[in-house]
Amino acid sequence: MQKGLILRSTGSWYDVRNADGHIFQGRLKGKFKLKGLKVTNPIAVGDIVLFEVEDKTENTAIISDIAPRKNYIIRQSVHKTAHGHILAANLDQAVLLATLAMPRTSLGFIDRFLVSAESFRIPTTIVFNKADILNDEGLEYQQEVIQLYERVGYDCLVTSATEGEGVDDFRALLDQKVTLLAGHSGVGKSSLVNAVAPDLNLRTNEVSSFANKGVHTTTFAEMFELAPDTYIIDTPGIKELGLMDTSKTEIGHYFPEMRDRMNQCRFNNCLHFNEPGCAIKEAVESEDIAESRYMSYLSMLEGGDNRR
């Protein structure tokens, strides 16, 4: 039995790298269910698995077990109701790529991703890409958005893959870590990765000017080694990010600015919706909590969608 790292998942087959760096085509042994977790993909990129070589000539392997995960990021499955889809496992950090034009990333989407990462205490940096296409008004708005997120404790970075702005800082951010890269299609994930690691030569596509939406260039999640101990996991562009396994009473705990004030509410089970003596609502009224963040919270509380 060998230990391996899952580098790529294509549905039923997995690229598994062993300790010597050899990559096998692996598949699961029979039915494989994770206890208490309904997911469309029992194994995710970043997982450590146990496997044995099935056929040396064909380079195939049978995966029999999965090591306990230190964390993972999950979203609701787009295709299967009440199931989740794990984006990646065993992460040191996440990087959310956002663009404020061509295509526009909504604040609601950013907030949902941050909540998903917070629920597993995965540090997240927001990278605002395509700074070169913004006019003065757009740059001013971008700065306001950055201040909004920095104020609640998130690091932000401005980049332009085409102009080279912020590329060195982006490279430094990835150093010696396993990083999940996420964002809508068309935000420039592949272009930015190509800027720091040209050898990977990831495929890129132009954003459709007709719909102002990105075209999917990454079909499956895949892990790449940029340097020793430096890995990125490139994911398909995410349209929606439905929360999984998060109760209504938990959601507020994943907003740092709410978490800091919760013990000031009159009721210890306050949902910060219409209860009297709510410290969160008072903080929104006094603008100590951004209205956009509070609206995102209410949307999640109601189980709403994030594409506004």
Side-chain angles (χ1 to χ4, degrees), residues 35-149:
K35 290 188 185 103
L37 201 60
K38 288 168 77 174
V39 291
T40 54
N41 58 332
I43 291 182
V45 173
D47 270 330
I48 304 294
V49 295
L50 291 177
F51 73 94
E52 51 192 340
V53 178
E54 179 189 35
D55 187 320
K56 279 188 176 176
T57 313
E58 294 290 322
N59 197 44
T60 56
I62 300 289
I63 298 165
S64 58
D65 206 357
I66 174 174
R69 296 170 172 141
K70 73 173 181 180
N71 59 37
Y72 56 88
I73 285 191
I74 190 170
R75 63 165 171 158
Q76 271 180 350
S77 169
V78 179
H79 307 294
K80 210 167 178 185
T81 316
H83 280 66
H85 181 84
I86 299 170
L87 295 178
N90 300 319
L91 303 164
D92 294 320
Q93 64 177 354
V95 167
L96 178 63
L97 255 70
T99 45
L100 298 180
M102 294 292 287
R104 184 183 75 87
T105 304
S106 72
L107 300 187
F109 180 83
I110 293 174
D111 292 335
R112 273 172 187 264
F113 186 86
L114 294 175
V115 163
S116 297
E118 281 280 343
S119 68
F120 280 98
R121 294 171 180 79
I122 297 169
T124 302
T125 299
I126 309 168
V127 173
F128 292 91
N129 195 28
K130 299 191 180 180
D132 55 293
I133 68 168
L134 298 178
N135 59 20
D136 289 347
E137 191 180 334
L139 289 169
E140 198 173 309
Y141 174 62
Q142 179 173 266
Q143 198 49 44
E144 286 172 17
V145 173
I146 286 170
Q147 284 169 355
L148 186 159
Y149 287 105

Side-chain angles (χ1 to χ4, degrees), residues 129-130 132-133 159-165 167 191-192 195:
N129 195 28
K130 299 191 180 180
D132 55 293
I133 68 168
T159 58
S160 165
T162 52
E163 303 293 317
E165 181 186 353
V167 167
S191 300
L192 204 49

Side-chain angles (χ1 to χ4, degrees), residues 6-9 45-46 85-88 91 95 97 170 174 178-194 200-204 216-226 231-238:
I6 300 293
L7 297 180
R8 187 166 180 256
S9 157
V45 173
H85 181 84
I86 299 170
L87 295 178
L91 303 164
V95 167
L97 255 70
F170 179 65
L174 305 176
V178 176
T179 304
L180 172 74
L181 287 186
H184 289 317
S185 293
V187 295
K189 289 197 305 290
S190 300
S191 300
L192 204 49
V193 171
N194 285 340
L200 293 181
N201 198 23
L202 299 189
R203 199 159 59 87
T204 60
H216 289 283
T217 50
T218 307
T219 316
F220 303 106
E222 187 165 4
M223 180 184 270
F224 300 97
E225 187 171 17
L226 301 190
Y231 297 90
I232 56 159
I233 299 174
D234 191 19
T235 57
I238 304 168

